[in-house]
């Protein structure tokens, strides 16, 4: 029997091909994706229900690289949150153009939900009430996704020409071109946010 | 004399048409933009040097709605920073798909630079050294852009199905569906960050 010319369709193959399209063009369509996978749109629909499903596959692929900390190991909640935020930002930094697609769709992917489970459990352990738990998760999400976009910024993030004041000019001279520019700013911000959450937790639910 | 069938090209018209393409497709090409404006690509090149220029026009258009606080009015730096962050996030929330394009190009637009000038001046007034000024600006930027994406999220940000733990389920029950969900989380995070910056400023440069 003849062997198929292309490997069998699988969720992982679909996610990989869709991610390649999004990385290159900031968007994908089901017909383009079918073409890239060398299958008909109808065979693709045997594996996924449509665009929202494919976005969930990409979300799972992006988050799959995160090793969730062992939070049964008696770690305090703050270091667990911090560790997840660092890995989460590094994962999405590899696919900056995926980010506005992900935020435009409801999170259903199970791998991603497992990450949010750990975040929610930790914020409950911190003593936050349910509404505050969701706010804390959202604050972390917003900062992580914005910081992931910053990793993809050009080396000269700002080129203000003559328009900069002395303050901005001095800041750019001191900060741009540092090898860990984006990392240092992310760590500074994460420190501010985690310390703020610790103070909020100490103040009660 | 016959009147032209389409209005004359201007930076504002170019920015508006490019924004419409990005809002709809997450991307634009110079040929598509020329087609939408009913001009030839070469007439477009009489007004802009290329894609990076058009992105700067869109950046200026998005930021143009921000009324910079009168920081000569004896206001303390923290409320000025807070006020800019609120308006900055509201402006970009109208164009979520523009965000990864903006972060992929160096900031050159003068309207935007004027905003960064005020931020830099205020962080210098807070007592930060130049490298810390750039970190503080970047932390604010990252949080604002991530929060702008969250405004565009669907009402059901998470649909975890059976995969959610009790903590996550309770958080979603308490937090989703609130009319000001994204606003409340943004304000909570902005409070944490500004309070953290105030503490960092009090600790010295």
């Amino acid at each position: 029997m003849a062997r198929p010319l292309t490997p069998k369709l699988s969720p992982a193959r679909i996610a990989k091909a869709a991610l390649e399209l999004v990385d290159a063009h900031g968007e994908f369509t089901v017909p383009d994706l079918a073409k890239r996978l060398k299958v008909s749109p109808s065979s693709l629909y045997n594996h996924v229900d449509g665009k929202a499903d494919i976005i969930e596959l990409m979300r799972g692929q992006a988050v799959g690289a995160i090793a969730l900390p062992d939070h049964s190991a008696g770690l305090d909640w703050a270091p667990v949150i911090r560790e997840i935020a660092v890995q989460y930002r590094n994962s999405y930094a590899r696919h900056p153009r995926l980010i506005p697609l992900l935020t435009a769709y409801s999170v259903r992917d199970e791998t991603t939900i497992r990450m949010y489970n750990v975040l929610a459990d930790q914020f409950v352990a911190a003593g936050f009430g349910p509404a505050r738990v969701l706010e804390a998760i959202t604050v972390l999400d917003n900062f992580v996704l914005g910081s992931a976009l910053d990793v993809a910024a050009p080396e000269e993030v700002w080129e203000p020409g003559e328009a900069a004041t002395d303050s901005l000019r001095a800041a750019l001279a001191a900060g741009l071109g540092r090898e860990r520019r984006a990392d240092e700013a992310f760590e500074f911000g994460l420190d501010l946010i985690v310390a703020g959450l610790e103070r909020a937790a100490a103040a009660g639910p």
Side-chain angles (χ1 to χ4, degrees), chain A:
Chain A
M1 257 176 64
R3 289 161 60 92
L5 290 173
T6 49
K8 251 180 86 110
L9 272 189
S10 67
R13 255 195 87 217
I14 294 169
K16 186 170 171 285
L19 264 174
E20 286 164 4
L21 285 174
V22 170
D23 287 345
H25 309 292
E27 186 50 288
F28 74 99
T29 64
V30 173
D32 282 347
L33 180 58
K35 204 171 149 194
R36 188 176 190 97
L37 288 162
K38 294 184 182 133
V39 300
S40 66
S42 61
S43 356
L44 200 49
Y45 281 116
N46 287 333
H47 291 80
V48 289
D49 266 348
K51 190 162 178 180
D53 257 24
I54 298 165
I55 286 179
E56 289 317 290
L57 290 180
M58 288 192 280
R59 196 193 299 275
Q61 188 95 338
V63 162
I66 297 181
L68 291 175
D70 180 7
H71 56 292
S72 63
L75 280 176
D76 196 17
W77 65 271
V80 173
I81 296 290
R82 217 182 177 294
E83 175 58 27
I84 291 176
V86 168
Q87 290 194 56
Y88 183 22
R89 174 253 196 183
N90 291 343
S91 300
Y92 280 125
R94 285 193 281 275
H95 306 288
R97 305 200 62 186
L98 178 61
I99 292 173
L101 284 177
L102 294 181
T103 56
Y105 286 80
S106 301
V107 182
R108 295 183 288 116
D109 168 68
E110 276 200 28
T111 308
T112 311
I113 294 294
R114 274 197 289 277
M115 179 187 76
Y116 284 111
N117 280 339
V118 177
L119 293 178
D121 289 347
Q122 295 300 305
F123 284 131
V124 167
F128 288 141
R132 182 62 22 129
V133 167
L134 198 66
E135 284 185 356
I137 287 176
T138 306
V139 167
L140 208 67
D141 243 358
N142 294 355
F143 182 63
V144 161
L145 296 180
S147 300
L149 288 171
D150 185 41
V151 175
E155 200 173 312
E156 296 293 317
V157 189
W158 292 269
E159 287 182 349
E162 295 304 302
T165 55
D166 289 346
S167 310
L168 183 59
R169 202 178 306 281
L172 297 177
L176 285 185
R178 290 165 83 104
E179 203 188 326
R180 296 191 73 253
R181 179 200 65 78
D183 296 336
E184 286 167 353
F186 172 65
E187 287 158 13
F188 178 48
L190 189 56
D191 286 345
L192 294 183
I193 289 171
V194 172
L197 289 171
E198 284 183 305
R199 260 182 298 268

